[in-house]
Amino acid sequence: MTPGPITPPLPLRTERLLLRTVVAEDRAAIGAYCADPEVTRYLPFPALDDQALTQRVDRLVAATAPAAVGEFLALAVEHEGVLVGDLMLRFSAAHGPDEAPSIAELGWVFGPGYAGRGFATEAARALVDLAFSTYPLHRLMAQLDPRNTRSAALCERLGMTHEAHTREDYPDREGGWSDTAVYGLLRREWESGRAG
Ligand SMILES: CC(C)(COP(=O)(O)OP(=O)(O)OC[C@H]1O[C@@H](n2cnc3c(N)ncnc32)[C@H](O)[C@@H]1OP(=O)(O)O)[C@@H](O)C(=O)NCCC(=O)NCCS
């Protein structure tokens, strides 16, 4: 059984950041980093052109109250009134799409101009807290190309466990295959304060 949509408690303030839903006016700021091939190198989409950016922003704007497997929450992250990145929480389930979501995947993209200041860590920590305190989730996970060392380091800072490294299971954009690293964080670990 899938529960109805739960509206997350937003906006959310952290020490330096504001997390809120994405609005159409964020298009230019999101476009500024999502059109950069360095930023999208390890993302599931290539650098966005105008049309792809419109499609992405439309999807992010609509992603405000996920309920079912496959649906997601998208958040814009602001620092001093400027959008510095965006976050995603995508629901999945342990045993197929008819179940209530029990697992969610975390995702993050930050503008390179705002890297190295701990913004992604601070925002993702707030998303982990929001995820476990708002939804009846058992597990959070992240999956990434192991060559994406900054994203892997972020998972470690969040207290996630490196659980798996699968070989050549993801088709890359050059017609080859890349490996996948899987990181996980269980509710009981979050409750016990293990999350960083
Ligand atoms: C993944 C990504 C979000 C990580 O960004 P990041 O800048 O490395 O992460 P943070 O913002 O948390 O910054 C961490 C750095 O700031 C430093 N830092 C400074 N102040 C800090 C603070 N208050 N808290 C934590 N870290 C702090 C850390 O020491 C770390 O430095 P280091 O990189 O020299 O080790 C970013 O690289 C990105 O958007 N990449 C492109 C998109 C992408 O690949 N997404 C993931 C797909 S799986």
Side-chain angles (χ1 to χ4, degrees):
M1 259 245 310
T2 301
I6 300 172
T7 306
L10 295 169
L12 204 65
R13 280 185 192 282
T14 66
E15 199 183 323
R16 297 176 295 173
L17 306 170
L18 177 79
L19 276 60
R20 57 162 175 80
T21 50
V22 178
V23 294
E25 291 70 27
D26 295 326
R27 187 180 190 282
I30 291 173
Y33 54 82
C34 282
D36 180 346
E38 280 303 312
V39 171
T40 61
R41 176 183 300 256
Y42 298 117
L43 290 175
F45 54 83
L48 299 182
D49 61 18
D50 227 39
Q51 190 186 359
L53 174 62
T54 300
Q55 285 169 359
R56 179 165 173 81
V57 172
D58 285 352
R59 288 178 62 234
L60 299 185
V61 168
T64 56
V69 168
E71 295 179 354
F72 68 104
L73 173 69
L75 296 180
V77 181
E78 273 185 24
H79 172 64
E80 295 179 345
V82 177
L83 189 146
V84 296
D86 62 87
L87 296 169
M88 176 205 79
L89 180 76
R90 182 188 301 279
F91 287 163
S92 58
H95 297 293
D98 293 334
E99 274 196 19
S102 52
I103 300 173
E105 180 179 354
L106 300 167
W108 35 66
V109 192
F110 279 71
Y114 303 100
R117 297 166 65 181
F119 287 162
T121 305
E122 188 172 322
R125 273 190 191 127
L127 179 58
V128 166
D129 290 345
L130 179 145
F132 279 129
S133 53
T134 308
Y135 304 105
L137 296 168
H138 174 62
R139 164 183 165 78
L140 291 177
M141 52 87 73
Q143 48 189 340
L144 51 97
D145 186 317
R147 291 171 296 179
N148 193 349
T149 52
R150 296 192 77 93
S151 195
L154 174 51
C155 292
E156 304 274 354
R157 283 195 294 276
L158 294 175
M160 303 180 87
T161 297
H162 182 209
E163 299 173 331
H165 180 127
T166 52
R167 295 178 306 150
E168 300 191 15
D169 62 342
Y170 195 84
D172 68 26
R173 288 196 275 273
E174 286 77 48
W177 294 90
S178 26
D179 295 357
T180 300
V182 178
Y183 286 80
L185 180 71
L186 303 177
R187 172 176 288 277
R188 63 175 175 273
E189 294 170 338
W190 172 73
E191 283 170 348
S192 71
R194 182 207 153 118

